[in-house]
Amino acid sequence: KDFPHSAEELSSRSMLRSPTSNGGPGDAILVLLVVGETGDGKSSLIRALCVEGSQVPEVGTAARGVTKDCRLFRCCLGGRQVLLIDTPGVGDGDITVGRILVMYEEVLRGAIGNAPVVHGVIICNQIATCRVRLGADICSTMIQMGTLGGPSKWDNVFLVGTQKDRCPDSEVETFKNAGPGGTLHALNMAITSVDPNQPGNVTKVACVSVLPSKDLDELHDLVRGAALPEDGIKHTRVDPVLFGKAVCKRLNVQPETITQTIIKTRSFWEQLWLDVRDTVRDSLHLP
């Protein structure tokens, strides 16, 4: 359901120019990938940031998750125009983690979402749990294992605590705490456990709420002050065997199942791109 089923559909969905700040061809704007667990408020956050009069994401309380594919939305964040890419949540009842991983990879290389380059990642995590939820844990593991690369990859990651309106100040402070007992500290420890030679170092954290009234100042300030790479974040493909072993216990799934899902989904995309190449070649009557 979430992947195109033909070369023509892939071309129409994925090979468009990224929208620009004023409609001009060379005035690219910031693009951020929004990830997290089902129910962590990714789509609600994007909806609250959308430019007035533009398309907004669907939101709801479906147990199996509402967002089923990757879509771009025009938003205003940190005083600038931004494209936010909404994604299915980790734990979605219809889309496995292996398929979500490949969706992230395809977005980062510009294959879906109409985005030629991605500049950073927003990881959403509910504040009230006072712990790293499954979505943030799995997404940070993806980043640690290569979904984001480069020596400064953690500078491109924003941890956003959601549903601030439901929490006392003490829980908000616990969420931001980089020391023992803090949620931010727990996230970095979980990242480090994947590869002790590359310790996690997420430092950019903000807490927000969208209901009953918007409280987004911390996120605006965070993005306004961020020095994100103009040419986009570096990224590589995750080793499917290592990834399956790294996350299987947290998902209560056999590692081989995760590995095979990644391999099959990647093969699906590769064949579609070959079909697109052939479709374009035939339409232009190329040899």
Side-chain angles (χ1 to χ4, degrees):
K1 293 188 286 189
D2 46 318
F3 291 106
H5 298 288
S6 68
E8 290 78 7
E9 184 182 354
L10 177 65
S11 179
S12 65
R13 280 175 50 175
S14 307
M15 300 181 70
L16 304 175
R17 291 193 62 84
S18 174
T20 59
S21 57
N22 63 5
D27 193 14
I29 58 179
L30 194 65
V31 181
L32 300 175
L33 179 66
V34 184
V35 301
E37 187 171 341
T38 298
D40 272 339
K42 299 181 305 301
S43 299
S44 296
L45 174 63
I46 294 172
R47 190 182 185 96
L49 293 167
C50 279
V51 174
E52 186 175 354
S54 66
Q55 183 182 7
V56 298
E58 181 183 357
V59 297
T61 57
R64 299 181 69 84
V66 176
T67 304
K68 301 298 180 182
D69 56 9
C70 298
R71 299 187 181 185
L72 268 74
F73 296 92
R74 289 182 177 274
C75 299
C76 182
L77 186 55
R80 63 187 298 182
Q81 291 195 62
V82 176
L83 292 176
L84 296 183
I85 306 177
D86 199 8
T87 62
V90 174
D92 184 285
D94 301 313
I95 307 174
T96 64
V97 165
R99 292 173 69 190
I100 290 175
L101 168 64
V102 178
M103 293 175 96
Y104 291 171
E105 292 176 341
E106 295 301 305
V107 167
L108 288 168
R109 74 185 186 97
I112 53 179
N114 306 339
V117 64
V118 177
H119 301 93
V121 177
I122 292 175
I123 299 179
C124 292
N125 191 102
Q126 288 181 26
I127 299 170
T129 57
C130 288
R131 62 179 175 83
V132 179
R133 279 169 53 84
L134 178 64
D137 196 5
I138 298 298
C139 292
S140 61
T141 299
M142 293 176 185
I143 296 169
Q144 177 73 316
M145 298 188 73
T147 305
L148 266 65
S152 59
K153 62 183 177 183
W154 298 114
D155 293 337
N156 307 322
V157 177
F158 304 89
L159 176 64
V160 176
T162 57
Q163 302 175 4
K164 179 180 177 181
D165 54 294
R166 302 181 184 181
C167 308
D169 291 344
S170 59
E171 289 184 354
V172 174
E173 292 307 311
T174 297
F175 186 87
K176 297 179 182 179
N177 186 4
T183 305
L184 178 59
H185 178 266
L187 177 64
N188 282 320
M189 289 300 97
I191 294 168
T192 302
S193 69
V194 177
D195 184 355
N197 294 319
Q198 299 185 55
N201 190 29
V202 178
T203 59
K204 296 180 172 64
V205 58
C207 292
V208 303
S209 60
V210 298
L211 293 173
S213 60
K214 296 179 183 179
D215 183 356
L216 304 169
D217 290 349
E218 290 185 10
L219 181 56
H220 283 295
D221 291 342
L222 208 59
V223 173
R224 186 179 294 112
L228 296 169
E230 292 184 5
D231 56 348
I233 50 181
K234 300 182 184 299
H235 56 90
T236 58
R237 280 187 163 188
V238 169
D239 183 309
V241 175
L242 294 180
F243 182 76
K245 292 178 179 179
V247 304
C248 61
K249 290 184 179 179
R250 282 167 283 178
L251 296 171
N252 195 27
V253 177
Q254 291 297 316
E256 296 81 7
T257 301
I258 300 170
T259 297
Q260 287 303 312
T261 298
I262 295 171
I263 292 172
K264 289 179 180 178
T265 308
R266 283 176 177 169
S267 177
F268 175 88
W269 273 100
E270 288 164 0
Q271 184 58 52
L272 273 178
W273 279 112
L274 289 174
D275 292 345
V276 166
R277 182 197 64 186
D278 293 341
T279 299
V280 172
R281 177 181 295 161
D282 292 343
S283 67
L284 297 177
H285 305 292
L286 297 175

